[in-house]
Amino acid sequence: MSQQQIIAVVGATGAQGGGLVRAILADRSGRFAVRALTRRPDSARAEELAALGAEVVEADLDDVAGLRKAFDGAHGAFVVTNFWEPRTPEEERARPATTKEREQAGNAARAGQEAGVRHFVWSTLPDTRGYFRPGDGTPTFEGTYKVPHADAKAEADRFFLESGVPTTFLHANVYYEAFQDMFAPRRDERGALVLPLGFGDARVPAQAAEDIGRTALGIFRRGEVLAGSRVSVAGSVLTGAQYAAALGRALGEPVTYQAVTPDEIRAAGFPGAGEVGNMLQYLSTAERDIVELIDGELLRELNPELQSFDTWLAAHRDAIPR
């Protein structure tokens, strides 16, 4: 046990970090031990991880000294930030989520470098701004961002590059789990199932949440040879119509795709509508570059259990609202 290499996992009670913690604990090779970092080690999720065998350690991305201590002795560190963490309007005004993400990523990179971490896996996203034309009428946020939750992470990449610690840049795409809520099919006025999505005709990559963690484990297994690489996780790359067809097969009744334009989404008026509309416009405009980044052969080598949308639906269809 003492010869195991420790992987410190930021956000261990979240979707990405939790998936990695569980993947390490399930790994029969026993090569790695997992140190689960969380702000709330007394939470139910943290206690569940401890019961499964994880070392649970209190750590906060806003506390460099605490992070350094939590990273001490770790071979690798998985770092993820949470743009969508619930916050009050006062907190957002005082420190926008984009600022928080950049600062927290910088803190993690600095703490890991000082603690002697040998390999970072940083959960990031591409910078979307090059896919929007000046004056195209799409909203800009904080004077610079088009899709803040992606663009700010892309800006934070530099902290890991500057740290000198070998870093692999992991990109998650659309979550299959979104089809259980935000992207769930709905009944129209005739009672038929429809899938209203802003994918247009674009092919859009998606993956199960747990496959992000499993892929991260594969990256740590592969080691520093993947330093500097970008690994984009996707179990399926489908059009909106193909996602609808897959849902129809799983649910046992037709699901019709209804394309919703980014302009319609931006005009909907719900909180974050402008950013969501921009994000969906980016998915369409940048389709070729997004899809070309996905290396299916590498993904299957890193994670032999990688699930297609059909495979995931077969196990989760009862959780799809209808």
Side-chain angles (χ1 to χ4, degrees), residues 75-322:
H75 168 81
F78 175 82
V79 180
V80 61
T81 52
N82 185 6
F83 179 91
W84 303 109
E85 180 181 22
R87 309 170 76 214
T88 66
E90 293 75 20
E91 288 173 328
E92 181 63 23
R93 283 194 295 270
R95 188 191 187 201
T98 50
T99 301
K100 182 192 73 168
E101 284 205 297
R102 291 196 312 272
E103 291 177 348
Q104 290 184 341
N107 290 344
R110 175 183 167 193
Q113 190 274 333
E114 293 177 355
V117 167
R118 300 287 300 276
H119 187 186
F120 276 126
V121 174
W122 158 232
S123 180
T124 185
L125 287 170
D127 193 322
T128 70
R129 288 171 285 191
Y131 296 93
F132 293 85
R133 299 189 309 276
D136 64 1
T138 58
T140 298
F141 304 93
E142 299 176 45
T144 184
Y145 299 118
K146 285 299 184 179
V147 183
H149 76 271
D151 301 339
K153 287 185 180 68
E155 287 183 340
D157 289 356
R158 70 179 182 88
F159 297 119
F160 294 92
L161 293 169
E162 292 169 357
S163 75
V165 178
T167 299
T168 305
F169 300 88
L170 184 67
H171 293 204
N173 289 290
V174 172
Y175 286 75
Y176 292 158
E177 287 76 6
F179 290 92
Q180 295 174 332
D181 44 61
M182 182 186 303
F183 293 164
R186 305 170 188 174
R187 298 282 175 185
D188 65 14
E189 63 277 3
R190 298 170 298 168
L193 282 175
V194 297
L195 184 67
L197 282 181
F199 290 178
D201 296 325
R203 296 167 296 161
V204 176
Q207 78 288 305
E210 62 188 340
D211 280 324
I212 302 169
R214 289 171 178 166
T215 302
L217 173 57
I219 292 170
F220 283 120
R221 283 199 198 104
R222 187 70 67 92
E224 296 177 19
V225 68
L226 288 176
S229 299
R230 294 188 178 271
V231 177
S232 183
V233 187
S236 289
V237 183
L238 305 174
T239 64
Q242 289 171 327
Y243 282 113
L247 284 162
R249 290 192 295 272
L251 299 177
E253 64 176 295
V255 178
T256 301
Y257 174 56
Q258 288 185 346
V260 182
T261 70
D263 283 339
E264 289 173 322
I265 293 169
R266 284 187 284 256
F270 61 83
E275 176 169 2
V276 173
N278 281 6
M279 177 186 70
L280 293 169
Q281 181 168 325
Y282 160 74
L283 290 178
S284 179
T285 304
E287 174 190 2
R288 173 179 287 184
D289 291 343
I290 293 170
V291 173
E292 284 185 352
L293 185 61
I294 298 164
D295 185 335
E297 182 177 350
L298 174 63
L299 288 173
R300 287 186 290 273
E301 290 174 0
L302 295 174
N303 175 19
E305 298 177 76
L306 184 68
Q307 301 164 84
S308 69
F309 190 49
D310 283 329
T311 300
W312 180 86
L313 279 173
H316 296 87
R317 60 187 162 209
D318 290 342
I320 305 294
R322 57 188 185 275

